[in-house]
């Protein structure tokens, strides 16, 4: 395991480390259940030319400039959901009323998904990311249902393209991408497009409302630059995963290499402790408070780094930032209604987030 920032960056970026060989059959299973993240056809588990070819289908749609075109629409969705919160009495659950509904609406529109299948989409994603409490047969059945649905969507968009991301993918496919990789890509985009964002948003709100009211207050008047700084630091200091089940992203050592003065041999499996590297005191102040006026001294590693940098990172940044700022502007006095120590958490999954977050609105200033 590598824990320092410099060592983590090296393992992420050095071609001596890869993902594909983790699934060669020579190693024990990485997880006790076959979740979609560990599917050999997943984009994040491909290396070299295979990875570049599949990633190339999406590259132009997730650049900062491309994501900026979606911003007005994302803002309108945020405003819609924030406005709806005004009608609710104090003590409502911010998770069910906001952090779960917003990301689902965004990914549903961007990928052109039928809204009547949202419940199925949520169920498939949750089962696929579960690390305990579900049988192997249940997971395999759920994954196959999810992939069958993705194949149906791709076939429909090939026959009748729209202005959605699935249509864009199938229209750009020149036949060189294996169908299994395309199918898994669609599933992972759907899953990551809502599950990780809703988990991050819930975690961020616990931190801001309970531990950093200064940053919450700063969001209300923040311009885009300050909003982005706050989101970047939130991404750095707030873990997404359950470290009990997932110590960090894994890499396979493809050739002998030295990292941090330690000799790694070909065939070694390395875990990257992103949480520890994001708190490396050589680069970051040990006090986990957000500096709303200064950029991070080095980029955080929450979205990975190097060739496997999360392709949806900019969409997540804008969605999280606009959601937090919209909520802070409408409800600057928002507080957690329960004791923080009494919150229940969703555990036993790859991601970790609050199950419920009851809040009181205080004085409301209108929707953003």
């Amino acid at each position: 395991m590598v824990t320092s920032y410099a060592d983590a960056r090296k393992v992420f970026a050095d071609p001596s480390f890869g993902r594909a060989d983790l699934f060669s059959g020579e190693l024990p299973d990485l997880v006790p259940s076959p979740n979609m993240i560990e599917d050999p056809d997943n984009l994040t588990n491909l290396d070299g030319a295979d990875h570049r070819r599949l990633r190339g289908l999406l590259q132009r749609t997730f650049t900062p400039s491309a994501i900026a075109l979606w911003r007005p629409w994302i803002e309108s969705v945020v405003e819609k959901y924030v406005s709806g919160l005004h009608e609710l009495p104090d003590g409502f659950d911010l998770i069910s009323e906001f952090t779960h509904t917003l990301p689902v609406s965004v990914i549903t529109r961007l990928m052109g998904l039928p809204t009547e299948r949202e419940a199925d989409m949520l169920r498939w994603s949750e089962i696929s990311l579960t690390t305990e409490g579900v049988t192997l047969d249940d997971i395999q059945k759920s994954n196959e249902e999810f992939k069958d649905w993705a194949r149906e969507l791709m076939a429909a968009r090939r026959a009748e393209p729209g202005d959605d991301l699935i249509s864009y993918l199938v229209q750009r496919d020149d036949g060189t991408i294996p169908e299994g990789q395309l199918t898994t890509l669609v599933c992972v985009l759907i899953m990551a497009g809502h599950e990780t964002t809703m988990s991050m948003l819930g975690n961020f709100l616990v931190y801001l409302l309970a531990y950093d009211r200064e940053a919450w207050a700063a969001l209300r008047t923040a311009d885009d630059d300050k909003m982005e700084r706050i989101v970047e630091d939130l991404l750095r200091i707030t873990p997404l995963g359950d470290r009990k089940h997932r110590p960090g992203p894994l890499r396979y050592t493809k050739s002998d290499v030295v990292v941090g003065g330690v000799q790694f041999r070909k065939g070694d499996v390395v875990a990257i402790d992103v949480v520890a590297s994001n708190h490396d005191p050589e680069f970051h102040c040990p006090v986990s408070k957000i500096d709303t006026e200064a950029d991070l001294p080095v980029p955080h590693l929450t979205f990975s780094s190097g060739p496997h940098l999360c392709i949806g990172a900019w969409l997540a940044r804008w969605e999280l930032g606009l959601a937090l700022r919209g909520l802070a502007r409408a409800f600057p006095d928002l507080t957690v209604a329960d004791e923080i120590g009494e919150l229940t958490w969703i555990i036993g999954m790859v991601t970790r987030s609050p199950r419920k977050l009851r809040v009181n609105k205080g004085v409301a200033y209108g929707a953003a």
Side-chain angles (χ1 to χ4, degrees):
M1 176 179 285
V2 295
T3 59
S4 76
Y5 181 86
D7 292 348
R9 281 289 295 265
K10 179 172 178 60
V11 175
F12 273 135
D14 194 318
S16 299
F17 299 94
R19 284 281 295 174
D21 287 327
L22 292 169
F23 306 94
S24 63
E26 299 178 4
L27 298 172
D29 292 336
L30 299 180
V31 290
S33 57
N35 66 63
M36 197 79 70
I37 301 299
E38 309 300 344
D39 190 319
D41 281 332
N42 185 0
L43 173 64
T44 61
N45 299 328
L46 301 174
D47 293 326
D50 289 340
H51 177 259
R52 289 190 295 272
R53 184 163 50 246
L54 186 58
R55 190 181 178 97
L57 285 179
L58 288 170
Q59 196 72 48
R60 287 186 293 179
T61 62
F62 285 100
T63 62
S65 58
I67 297 300
L69 298 176
W70 297 342
R71 172 180 168 159
W73 178 78
I74 295 174
E75 285 182 312
S76 71
V77 177
V78 170
E79 183 173 353
K80 167 190 168 184
Y81 282 107
V82 168
S83 296
L85 300 180
H86 286 274
E87 309 302 320
L88 300 177
D90 277 350
F92 71 88
D93 178 23
L94 198 57
I95 301 300
S96 61
E97 298 291 347
F98 186 70
T99 71
H100 275 204
T101 53
L102 174 64
V104 171
S105 292
V106 170
I107 199 62
T108 296
R109 170 62 186 89
L110 293 180
M111 298 194 70
L113 307 176
T115 56
E116 64 271 16
R117 299 300 296 272
E118 284 182 1
D120 288 328
M121 178 181 72
L122 290 169
R123 175 174 57 85
W124 291 327
S125 298
E126 182 175 346
I127 292 176
S128 184
L129 291 171
T130 297
T131 58
E132 60 183 33
V134 182
T135 68
L136 183 63
D137 287 343
D138 288 340
I139 295 173
Q140 290 175 331
K141 180 181 178 182
S142 176
N143 286 350
E144 282 308 309
E145 289 177 357
F146 200 175
K147 289 184 177 182
D148 286 344
W149 184 53
R151 293 185 192 101
E152 292 173 8
L153 291 172
M154 291 192 296
R157 304 302 153 75
R158 286 188 177 108
E160 191 173 343
D163 63 349
D164 56 89
L165 188 54
I166 297 176
S167 295
Y168 179 84
L169 282 173
V170 298
Q171 286 179 296
R172 293 199 66 208
D173 175 29
D174 61 1
T176 62
I177 307 292
E179 190 73 3
Q181 291 181 9
L182 272 179
T183 303
T184 301
L185 179 61
V186 170
C187 291
V188 171
L189 285 172
I190 293 171
M191 186 167 57
H194 76 275
E195 176 61 44
T196 54
T197 305
M198 67 171 60
S199 296
M200 284 179 175
L201 192 52
N203 293 343
F204 289 179
L205 284 164
V206 170
Y207 172 80
L208 289 167
L209 297 179
Y211 300 108
D212 199 338
R213 298 296 303 192
E214 291 180 7
W216 178 251
L219 274 167
R220 183 170 180 245
T221 57
D223 58 15
D224 285 352
D225 288 340
K226 181 175 288 191
M227 178 187 75
E228 291 173 19
R229 282 196 294 271
I230 293 172
V231 168
E232 288 305 289
D233 222 351
L234 284 167
L235 287 164
R236 179 185 72 84
I237 66 178
T238 314
L240 172 63
D242 183 348
R243 299 172 79 191
K244 172 183 175 183
H245 297 283
R246 193 178 178 87
L250 301 181
R251 293 293 186 269
Y252 182 90
T253 308
K254 297 192 285 186
S255 59
D256 292 355
V257 61
V258 175
V259 178
V262 176
Q263 177 71 59
F264 289 80
R265 300 295 183 185
K266 179 180 179 181
D268 286 344
V269 176
V270 185
I272 307 166
D273 191 333
V274 170
V275 175
S277 65
N278 277 344
H279 288 78
D280 187 339
E282 183 177 348
F283 296 95
H284 297 290
C285 175
V287 178
S288 292
K289 285 288 186 179
I290 293 173
D291 185 344
T292 62
E293 302 300 329
D295 294 332
L296 294 179
V298 292
H300 62 76
L301 299 179
T302 300
F303 290 129
S304 183
S305 183
H308 285 285
L309 178 69
C310 175
I311 200 163
W314 282 105
L315 174 60
R317 286 180 169 108
W318 277 108
E319 195 173 339
L320 291 165
L322 294 173
L324 292 172
R325 187 169 67 180
L327 196 61
R329 286 178 173 176
F331 303 107
D333 297 323
L334 197 70
T335 56
V336 180
D338 301 310
E339 293 293 328
I340 291 299
E342 296 177 358
L343 295 182
T344 58
W345 294 79
I346 297 173
I347 58 175
M349 293 183 64
V350 174
T351 56
R352 178 180 183 271
S353 60
R355 190 176 298 278
K356 287 186 177 181
L357 184 62
R358 294 177 61 249
V359 294
N360 295 324
K361 292 180 288 187
V363 178
Y365 286 80

